[in-house]
Amino acid sequence: MKAWEENIRKVVPYVPGEQPQEKDIIKLNTNENPYPPSPKVYEAHRNLEVDRFALYPDPAASRLVKGLEKYYGLQEGQVFVGVGSDDVLALAFLTFFNSDKPVLFPDVTYSFYPVWADVYRIPYECPPLDDNFCIRPEDYKRENGGIVIANPNAPTSLALERDVVEEIVAANPDVIVIVDEAYVDFGGETALPLLERYDNLLVVRTYSKSRSMAGMRIGFAMGNPELIKAMTDVKESINSYTMTMESIEVGAASLEDEDYFQEKLSKVIATRERAKDELRKREFTVLDSSTNFLFARPNQAEAQWLFEELKKEKIFVRHFTGERIKDYLRISVGTDQQMDCLLQAIDRILG
Ligand code: PMP
């Protein structure tokens, strides 16, 4: 072994869902939105001045930040933007979890959380969800270095009521509680109204799901100005220019088309409910989803086998090998037509 190898930071990375490059596939494996972004986004994109690409972008991403402050009725200084919510969450871990006490998040949740904890050498513990995949708030009422809750949770798709989130935030005034609301627009109850009363709460959101803009990599955090300032200081100690001119402009434009946003949300939700009923008719156990995906257990076949069989039919869903969830598939909600193709394929395979 070479001496420098000892100095390498060794980590086991997060593995994102596949992004197959062929066009003729049905992609239900990374919870993207099946609909395109708003026409306002197309317009903003067309109007980009390519000449200006020679310059650095606005390091404060002011147009986007101001747009979000206005959209959510927040004060100046309450919004932080980053390169997708993965970037925002990673930075929040680095900024707020600088203690020797363990950070707490559930055993079944977004599998990036333990990876960030490991890469930053943050100790953590994972209280198990109950047998119905629900959080037990009492598990979060002990000494800790911070808390992370995905609400609605992934990959379970289950939402927690705001009262329960509040109970956890209120019980932990000495640490930062991060609520990851990547999927909240599809039916969860947001923790945003709690920001007025709790200075230890950080709400994290993304453009990747409800705003149909995963490819633009836009995420943001909302919290009291002290928290946002702390994150900005850390960000500016790593990279001043995280947001491109393109992401700033199209991100701001997306906020200006509420009708389109609501219409597409309603469509995804209606398709989700229909697909859930159809899967239940086929004897799948399907959890009640507040997201744009379904967490479904095929009771008549092994999940991993069905995952592979669907792939042979060019339908990509997600399978996780974790002990508690290996019998389930996570299926993103596509268009009605895509979900019909999925159901037909399931009928052929399980026929
Ligand atoms: N949080 C959760 C719970 C997620 O499922 C995802 C998507 N993988 C993210 C955050 C990150 O999404 P993005 O970086 O695209 O904003």
Side-chain angles (χ1 to χ4, degrees), residues 14 30-31 83-87 89 110 113 116 150 152 154 180 182-183 205-209 214 217-219 330:
Y14 170 76
T30 50
N31 300 340
V83 187
S85 55
D86 281 342
D87 180 49
L89 287 161
Y110 186 29
Y113 302 156
W116 289 316
D180 175 358
Y183 300 101
R205 298 275 189 103
T206 178
Y207 273 57
S208 299
K209 320 295 177 183
R217 311 304 299 127
I218 305 171
R330 194 196 67 187

Side-chain angles (χ1 to χ4, degrees), residues 5-307:
E5 283 182 32
E6 273 176 47
N7 297 341
I8 290 178
R9 185 177 292 265
K10 293 179 191 69
V11 284
V12 181
Y14 170 76
V15 183
E18 280 176 80
Q19 291 292 358
Q21 296 301 310
E22 311 104 273
K23 287 264 152 77
D24 63 334
I25 60 159
I26 295 183
K27 195 170 175 309
L28 306 174
N29 69 334
T30 50
N31 300 340
E32 290 141 326
N33 199 306
Y35 300 107
S38 151
K40 299 252 188 211
V41 170
Y42 286 75
E43 193 187 324
H45 199 257
R46 266 195 310 277
N47 291 340
L48 278 173
E49 292 170 45
V50 178
D51 294 357
R52 287 185 55 228
F53 287 8
L55 308 176
Y56 283 105
D58 171 11
S62 307
R63 246 179 72 66
L64 179 56
V65 166
K66 283 196 181 352
L68 287 163
E69 283 166 359
K70 180 163 164 242
Y71 186 87
Y72 289 103
L74 297 169
Q75 306 293 317
E76 199 180 328
Q78 285 199 280
V79 173
F80 175 92
V81 294
V83 187
S85 55
D86 281 342
D87 180 49
V88 175
L89 287 161
L91 211 82
F93 270 58
L94 183 59
T95 307
F96 300 121
F97 300 156
N98 187 29
S99 100
D100 298 331
K101 293 175 196 155
V103 168
L104 305 179
F105 45 82
D107 63 337
V108 178
T109 190
Y110 186 29
S111 49
F112 224 139
Y113 302 156
V115 177
W116 289 316
D118 283 335
V119 74
Y120 294 134
R121 309 287 189 256
I122 298 165
Y124 64 94
E125 284 172 17
C126 299
L129 297 177
D130 71 15
D131 290 342
N132 299 317
F133 293 122
C134 291
I135 274 195
R136 287 180 292 220
E138 56 280 15
D139 290 343
Y140 296 84
K141 293 179 184 167
R142 59 185 163 99
E143 205 176 37
N144 64 73
I147 292 173
V148 191
I149 293 168
N151 188 36
N153 197 13
T156 65
S157 78
L158 298 176
L160 209 57
E161 288 120 54
R162 188 186 298 131
D163 289 352
V164 181
V165 175
E166 178 164 9
E167 191 185 329
I168 294 171
V169 176
N172 289 281
D174 298 335
V175 297
I176 303 305
V177 179
I178 299 176
V179 181
D180 175 358
E181 295 190 347
Y183 300 101
V184 78
D185 291 324
F186 299 103
E189 247 186 331
T190 178
L192 279 179
L194 305 179
L195 284 182
E196 277 181 22
R197 271 174 291 138
Y198 299 94
D199 63 3
N200 61 325
L201 170 65
L202 189 80
V203 177
V204 177
R205 298 275 189 103
T206 178
Y207 273 57
S208 299
K209 320 295 177 183
S210 56
R211 292 201 175 272
S212 303
M213 289 171 76
M216 277 294 109
R217 311 304 299 127
I218 305 171
F220 54 105
M222 296 172 277
N224 91 70
E226 243 182 288
L227 301 192
I228 301 305
K229 163 90 168 59
M231 287 184 76
T232 306
D233 286 348
V234 172
K235 178 214 126 179
E236 290 182 353
S237 307
I238 298 173
N239 181 359
S240 315
Y241 307 106
T242 46
M243 308 307 284
T244 65
M245 286 175 182
E246 189 182 29
S247 60
I248 292 168
E249 291 305 317
V250 295
S254 165
L255 301 170
E256 285 157 19
D257 198 351
E258 188 62 14
D259 289 350
Y260 181 92
F261 180 62
Q262 293 299 338
E263 182 204 319
K264 292 297 180 282
L265 281 181
S266 305
K267 267 187 129 162
V268 171
I269 291 167
T271 306
R272 174 188 79 202
E273 293 306 300
R274 193 177 66 84
K276 178 178 78 180
D277 293 345
E278 289 297 326
L279 286 168
R280 284 181 179 166
K281 278 189 209 155
R282 288 160 176 82
E283 287 172 47
F284 281 63
T285 300
V286 189
L287 274 56
D288 277 318
S289 171
S290 297
T291 64
N292 67 335
F293 59 87
L294 293 167
F295 197 52
R297 188 177 70 204
N299 291 314
Q300 60 289 59
E302 267 190 15
Q304 168 124 33
W305 176 81
L306 183 56
F307 163 80

